[in-house]
Amino acid sequence: MIFKSINPFTQAELEEHEVLTNAQLADKLKISESAFKYWRTTTFQERADKMRNLAVILRTNKEELGLLITNEMGKILSEGISEVEKSAANCDFYAENAEKMLKDEYYDTPFKSMSVYDPQGAVFAIMPWNYPFWQVLRYAAPAVMAGNVTLLKHAPNVIGCAKAIEKAFLEAGFPEGVFQQIIIDISQAESVIAADIVQGITLTGSEAAGSSVAALAGKHIKKTVMELGGSDAFIVLDDADLEKAATVAVQSRMLNAGQACICAKRFIVTEKAADEFAFLFAEKIRKLQQGNPLQSGIDMGPLARIDLAEKLSSQLEHALRQGAQLVVGGERDQCNFQPALIDFVDSGNIAFQEETFGPLAVLVRAKNEDEAVAIANNHKYGLASAIWTEDRERAYILARKIEAGNVFVNSLVRSDSRIPFGGTKKSGYGRELSSVGIKEFMNMKSVIIE
């Protein structure tokens, strides 16, 4: 079987990638097992030195790597370069902090008691195409700094990025097998999950993919961390700074051509603020330039694949048939989708119920803040949410009521190495980043000495 990298803007084929045979995959697993036996014995200082090397390599080559991201999945070049820079910063963060995050924890008992954190083996990662470097380094930097090794199954359309990351790890001085990218078909995933060396699985992707992988992991009694779909609520209250809220709303919905789990997707606005916010939002969307992601002055590139663009067009058409009103945008030419806003969407509309993975903003009108929170929570997903109000105390009270893994007040929802990140409900479970994330695939071992 062959996977192909295809430029989503030009539709030109970039490269072909051959899937591993089962025998080749078995060899990769053996290499991983051998690498773990050594890597787990290394000191934090040894790991940190190599992780810092990796950060330097990423920054040194950020233009080349950013271009690779753009060519494979279509985001504008500046966003690709920024993604590489953020990935490098995460490497530095864990190089600096992993040892203290994993230090022994002592308990107040009449005898000596503590918890120690041991690496467990290989983390098998199934990663998406939308942030092909950040999603990988987000889990890999802490996993490797903790003494684990990893096997990456990247999305078929960004295997060039997977190969580039593996090359960077080797150039940084990591031993062979500490980080391996494996080109496999879905049917081969269970054999990886079943392997003794694999002790954890992390997946960022769709609800369907997460359900399937979690079932296989459960069968083989392997721990999982899942970051799945999102339909994030962006709540705008009466007293919000509407100009700032609309500016951030466009950034949150349209960054990466709207292809992010933590993009704001449902804009829930109280009646008093709705008309003005809708006007400001639409005007800012109209100013966006969609087109060639390598061209100066372009704000948004194409969607990553033609099937994704077709699905978004279908969702938009269905939403309009159900009573939503198109305010701006929505035209499509192959993978190029003009940023769009629809208004007067209710909770029964497909654009409310389903995740819209692309530059389509959905405006929902609420009577008051209580109804806004109820609308936000009336969804199967619970990844992140934002609240816009000038009353910080009120925002804190409302934030506690939101059913999501992350709530940001008067700010763009984003992931940060210092803060735990993850979702609830059908958006998944477990956490990445911070000291919480690094411990997800460790054995927390209690030691008692009398």
Side-chain angles (χ1 to χ4, degrees):
M1 180 182 291
I2 299 291
F3 291 140
K4 295 181 179 180
S5 295
I6 296 173
N7 184 305
F9 185 73
T10 66
Q11 295 297 302
E13 183 178 316
L14 303 172
E15 192 175 354
E16 292 186 344
H17 309 279
E18 191 168 351
V19 171
L20 295 174
T21 66
N22 290 337
Q24 290 171 325
L25 177 57
D27 288 340
K28 294 280 189 182
L29 291 165
K30 289 177 183 176
I31 292 170
S32 189
E33 189 170 358
S34 177
F36 176 63
K37 288 177 181 177
Y38 164 72
W39 188 246
R40 70 178 302 172
T41 68
T42 56
T43 66
F44 281 105
Q45 187 60 55
E46 290 175 85
R47 299 171 200 164
D49 288 344
K50 292 176 173 54
M51 192 59 69
R52 290 191 181 96
N53 289 344
L54 177 58
V56 170
I57 289 167
L58 292 175
R59 289 194 182 95
T60 301
N61 297 285
K62 63 183 180 181
E63 286 85 5
E64 175 187 342
L65 298 174
L67 179 60
L68 174 61
I69 293 171
T70 295
N71 285 336
E72 284 205 309
M73 61 73 58
K75 71 177 63 184
I76 60 175
L77 183 57
S78 61
E79 290 181 359
I81 293 171
S82 294
E83 180 180 336
V84 176
E85 291 174 332
K86 184 174 183 178
S87 301
N90 198 52
C91 294
D92 279 336
F93 176 80
Y94 280 103
E96 180 69 25
N97 294 291
E99 183 172 9
K100 57 189 170 188
M101 288 175 171
L102 296 174
K103 67 182 180 181
D104 297 348
E105 297 179 13
Y106 291 86
Y107 303 103
D108 184 14
T109 58
F111 44 85
K112 189 174 184 179
S113 59
M114 70 196 82
S115 290
V116 300
Y117 291 93
D118 293 339
Q120 291 187 287
V123 177
F124 176 38
I126 302 172
M127 291 290 109
W129 47 263
N130 56 335
Y131 287 93
F133 270 69
W134 169 243
Q135 297 282 10
V136 174
L137 274 302
R138 189 169 76 179
Y139 90 83
V144 170
M145 276 302 304
N148 291 308
V149 299
T150 184
L151 296 152
L152 166 67
K153 179 201 177 300
H154 220 329
N157 57 326
V158 291
I159 290 174
C161 290
K163 290 179 176 179
I165 296 169
E166 182 180 51
K167 180 183 176 185
F169 266 89
L170 293 171
E171 288 181 359
F174 290 94
E176 182 186 10
V178 171
F179 181 99
Q180 292 186 88
Q181 66 84 25
I182 52 175
I183 306 171
I184 61 172
D185 187 44
I186 294 172
S187 62
Q188 295 171 291
E190 184 171 3
S191 65
V192 179
I193 293 169
D196 289 341
I197 182 59
V198 173
Q199 289 299 309
I201 300 96
T202 181
L203 180 145
T204 299
S206 68
E207 178 188 345
S211 177
S212 176
V213 169
L216 291 174
K219 175 182 175 183
H220 296 283
I221 315 179
K222 303 293 175 73
K223 185 176 182 180
T224 55
V225 169
M226 298 279 166
E227 190 216 315
L228 308 178
S231 186
D232 290 2
F234 186 105
I235 299 171
V236 182
L237 302 183
D238 292 351
D239 66 338
D241 181 335
L242 296 184
E243 175 65 31
K244 184 178 179 183
T247 297
V248 176
V250 172
Q251 185 182 3
S252 182
R253 174 67 280 206
M254 304 304 174
L255 189 70
N256 202 35
Q259 300 169 116
C261 297
I262 58 169
C263 278
K265 299 183 176 74
R266 295 177 296 142
F267 296 85
I268 304 166
V269 189
T270 53
E271 285 182 346
K272 183 178 177 181
D275 286 343
E276 184 179 353
F277 178 81
F279 174 79
L280 292 169
F281 199 7
E283 287 301 296
K284 293 178 186 298
I285 289 173
R286 286 188 178 95
K287 293 177 182 177
L288 296 176
Q289 297 298 312
Q290 193 281 330
N292 186 341
L294 296 177
Q295 185 178 320
S296 177
I298 293 298
D299 302 298
M300 180 189 303
L303 298 185
R305 299 193 313 263
I306 193 72
D307 61 302
L308 300 169
E310 290 171 346
K311 180 178 180 181
L312 190 63
S313 286
S314 176
Q315 288 173 313
L316 173 58
E317 291 168 6
H318 193 167
L320 297 178
R321 289 196 301 270
Q322 290 180 312
Q325 295 182 19
L326 180 65
V327 179
V328 61
E331 300 84 8
R332 182 178 71 85
D333 179 13
Q334 293 189 323
C335 290
N336 297 286
F337 192 102
Q338 294 299 316
L341 170 65
I342 56 177
D343 198 351
F344 301 101
V345 174
D346 60 40
S347 61
N349 195 288
I350 188 173
F352 183 100
Q353 291 291 333
E354 294 185 0
E355 181 176 25
T356 52
F357 214 66
L360 172 60
V362 172
L363 202 150
V364 184
R365 295 170 181 246
K367 292 177 182 176
N368 51 47
E369 65 182 48
D370 290 334
E371 186 177 62
V373 171
I375 292 170
N377 290 339
N378 181 27
H379 208 282
K380 64 180 178 178
Y381 292 133
L383 187 56
S385 184
I387 300 173
W388 287 81
T389 174
E390 292 298 286
D391 187 338
R392 268 63 173 176
E393 290 301 316
R394 176 189 186 195
Y396 173 76
I397 293 169
L398 294 177
R400 297 294 298 263
K401 298 179 180 180
I402 297 290
E403 297 168 1
N406 313 266
V407 181
F408 285 65
V409 177
N410 298 335
S411 164
L412 176 72
V413 173
R414 60 202 179 276
S415 53
D416 185 308
S417 298
R418 299 164 294 183
I419 304 169
F421 180 83
T424 188
K425 299 197 278 191
K426 297 292 186 181
S427 288
Y429 50 79
R431 292 296 180 265
E432 291 184 295
L433 301 176
S434 80
S435 61
V436 177
I438 199 172
K439 293 173 182 175
E440 286 281 14
F441 296 114
M442 304 297 285
N443 175 33
M444 185 180 182
K445 181 167 65 182
S446 297
V447 177
I448 295 90
I449 301 172
E450 295 207 46

